[in-house]
């Protein structure tokens, strides 16, 4: 009986030491991955990297991690700008808030210089103020004596974006911005905003002329590891985006 108690105590102690060693190892790996991701993606701040699953050391022996979660607070994505019927200059970058990605089946090389996830899903948000940069340009001459521009984006409820348009007709600015509810969608690598109905700018205008102002799109490229846009929905603080990808590079 005494020998059994000693064996039990030794087993518990060794188990505890293994857990401690496992947690120390995973913490070191998370810090190393975060530093490399920051360097590879040219990030201004170190991202959060969390390696899921226990034990970590047995995953390392197998050469593949079950899941790695990456969080980036402010990510500047590349963009070729907006398409809104004007030739005005557009921003080369767009800031994405709270980009979080869950990467599954992460295989890594023997020297840990590269790591690739079999699949990845995630979420992010683009604020209305940031998206407005794609829509807002110099006032557009939509017809003789009529100029207009988008001056505000906000939550319109029920998954719609409220687009506010300011217009000047024959030299007189309308007393207040005209608002219209718009739908938002993803088409390839673009977030697209289209008015459900067209605003009355005080004069009769052809639909294509009005849509030069109300409708716009923002290309978003160069997301971490090659993940792509999947879905988008209007939300209180901006547009919420779902992203996904396969064979996504985490490191290297």
């Amino acid at each position: 009986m005494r020998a059994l108690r000693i064996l039990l105590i030794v087993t518990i102690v060794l188990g505890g030491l293994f857990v401690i060693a496992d947690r120390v190892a995973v913490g070191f790996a998370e810090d190393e991955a975060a530093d490399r991701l920051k360097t590879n993606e040219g990030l201004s701040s170190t991202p959060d990297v969390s390696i899921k699953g226990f034990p970590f050391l047995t995953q390392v022996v197998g050469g593949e991690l079950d899941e790695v979660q990456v969080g980036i607070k402010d990510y500047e994505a590349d963009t070729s700008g907006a398409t809104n019927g004007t030739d005005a200059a557009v921003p080369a970058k767009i800031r994405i808030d709270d980009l979080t990605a869950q990467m599954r089946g992460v295989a890594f090389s023997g020297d840990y210089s590269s790591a690739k996830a079999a699949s990845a899903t995630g979420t992010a948000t683009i604020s209305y103020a940031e998206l407005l940069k794609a829509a807002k340009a110099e006032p557009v001459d939509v017809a003789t004596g009529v100029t207009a521009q988008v001056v505000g984006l906000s939550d319109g409820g029920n998954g719609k974006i409220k687009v506010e348009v300011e217009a000047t007709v024959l030299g007189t600015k309308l007393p207040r911005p005209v608002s219209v509810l718009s739908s938002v969608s993803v088409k390839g690598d673009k977030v697209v905003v289209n008015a459900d109905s067209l605003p009355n700018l005080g004069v009769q205008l052809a639909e294509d002329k009005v849509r030069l102002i109300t409708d716009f799109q923002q290309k978003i490229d160069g997301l971490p590891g090659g993940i792509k846009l999947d879905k988008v929905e209007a939300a209180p603080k901006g547009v919420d985006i779902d992203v996904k990808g396969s064979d996504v590079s985490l490191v290297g």
Side-chain angles (χ1 to χ4, degrees), residues 17-202:
L17 291 176
F18 175 78
V19 171
I20 293 172
D22 190 82
R23 294 301 88 191
V24 170
V26 76
F28 175 81
E30 289 171 345
D31 291 343
E32 183 70 15
D35 288 340
R36 292 196 181 189
L37 184 59
K38 178 183 178 181
T39 300
N40 289 352
E41 297 293 339
L43 304 177
S44 58
S45 60
T46 304
D48 294 325
V49 175
S50 178
I51 298 174
K52 306 297 182 181
F54 179 83
F56 166 70
L57 292 175
T58 58
Q59 295 182 67
V60 171
V61 172
E64 183 174 304
L65 304 177
D66 295 338
E67 180 181 342
V68 178
Q69 181 172 302
V70 177
I72 304 174
K73 287 296 183 183
D74 296 304
Y75 183 81
E76 288 194 336
D78 293 327
T79 170
S80 63
T83 299
N84 61 0
T86 76
D87 295 322
V90 289
K93 299 281 187 178
I94 186 168
R95 191 182 74 252
I96 298 177
D97 300 327
D98 299 325
L99 174 61
T100 301
Q102 291 77 37
M103 302 187 177
R104 300 174 181 83
V106 181
F108 50 87
S109 62
D111 61 358
Y112 307 107
S113 61
S114 65
K116 182 174 289 187
S119 64
T121 57
T123 59
T125 299
I126 300 177
S127 70
Y128 287 120
E130 195 71 13
L131 191 60
L132 180 61
K133 295 177 183 178
K136 189 173 183 179
E138 294 300 317
V140 177
D141 185 357
V142 293
T144 303
V146 181
T147 58
Q149 70 178 131
V150 174
V151 294
L153 299 176
S154 59
D155 180 26
N158 297 318
K160 303 292 183 180
I161 294 178
K162 182 180 178 182
V163 179
E164 293 188 327
V165 177
E166 189 176 81
T168 298
V169 180
L170 299 176
T172 302
K173 182 183 292 186
L174 296 185
R176 63 182 61 85
V178 177
S179 64
V180 59
L181 293 180
S182 298
S183 297
V184 59
S185 61
V186 166
K187 291 184 179 179
D189 56 3
K190 299 179 179 68
V191 173
V192 180
V193 178
N194 292 114
D196 292 352
S197 60
L198 297 177
N200 182 358
L201 298 181

Side-chain angles (χ1 to χ4, degrees), residues 176-246:
R176 63 182 61 85
V178 177
S179 64
V180 59
L181 293 180
S182 298
S183 297
V184 59
S185 61
V186 166
K187 291 184 179 179
D189 56 3
K190 299 179 179 68
V191 173
V192 180
V193 178
N194 292 114
D196 292 352
S197 60
L198 297 177
N200 182 358
L201 298 181
V203 294
Q204 285 291 103
L205 294 173
E207 179 176 329
D208 59 341
K209 296 293 186 182
V210 180
R211 288 193 179 276
L212 288 176
I213 306 301
T214 60
D215 296 359
F216 61 93
Q217 57 189 22
Q218 177 66 68
K219 183 175 181 179
I220 298 175
D221 200 5
L223 292 173
I227 55 178
K228 302 294 184 181
L229 301 179
D230 184 27
K231 294 185 296 184
V232 63
E233 182 178 2
K237 295 183 179 180
V239 291
D240 290 342
I241 296 173
D242 290 344
V243 297
K244 66 178 182 179
S246 57

